[in-house]
């Protein structure tokens, strides 16, 4: 583990202690769900901020694309967002839902790749 072995062991012990507290304390499951939801909102906010910054830094390149390529780019990003939002519903729906989810993700990745390939040709 290196020179920070004690620090790593301390951090592991803290995580295990917090897990035991959530497991044993009454109402710990509700608190863990609340913390999970809060961290999820923070993570989504971070992704949205990253997307905004990426768009602002590269909007000249995006607007330099043909309209068709830009439409494919936006449609692919929307398809990824829809598929990710509906992941649990689609996977719980059975085999057809899982196949559709994989098809949506595959189609979106193909669209993003085709736009990237067209962009690199110039």
């Amino acid at each position: 583990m290196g020179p920070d072995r004690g620090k790593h062991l301390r951090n592991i012990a803290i995580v295990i202690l917090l897990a035991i507290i959530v497991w044993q304390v009454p109402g710990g499951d509700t608190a863990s769900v609340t913390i999970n939801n809060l961290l999820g909102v923070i993570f989504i906010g971070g992704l949205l901020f990253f997307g905004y910054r990426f768009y602002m830094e590269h909007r000249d390149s995006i607007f330099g694309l043909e309209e068709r390529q830009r439409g494919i780019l936006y449609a692919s990003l929307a398809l990824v967002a829809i598929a990710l939002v509906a992941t649990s519903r689609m996977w719980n729906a059975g085999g057809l839902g899982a196949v559709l989810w994989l098809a949506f993700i595959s189609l979106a990745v193909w669209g993003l790749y085709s736009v990237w390939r067209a962009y690199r040709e110039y």
Side-chain angles (χ1 to χ4, degrees), residues 85-107:
V85 167
T87 297
S88 63
R89 265 194 170 159
M90 293 180 84
W91 280 93
N92 291 335
L96 181 60
V99 170
L100 279 174
W101 186 87
L102 289 171
F104 288 167
I105 295 294
S106 301
L107 185 63

Side-chain angles (χ1 to χ4, degrees), residues 43-58:
F43 180 71
I44 296 295
L47 286 178
L48 288 173
F49 180 72
F50 172 74
Y52 169 75
R53 291 293 305 162
F54 189 82
Y55 172 77
M56 292 304 287
E57 290 176 9
H58 298 285

Side-chain angles (χ1 to χ4, degrees), residues 1-19:
M1 286 191 182
D4 293 330
R5 182 176 186 202
K7 183 174 139 183
H8 293 311
L9 290 175
R10 181 198 70 204
N11 291 341
I12 291 170
I14 289 171
V15 169
I16 291 172
L17 180 66
L18 289 173

Side-chain angles (χ1 to χ4, degrees), residues 70-84:
R70 202 167 49 241
I72 292 172
L73 174 69
Y74 294 150
S76 296
L77 292 174
L79 190 58
V80 165
I82 290 169
L84 291 178

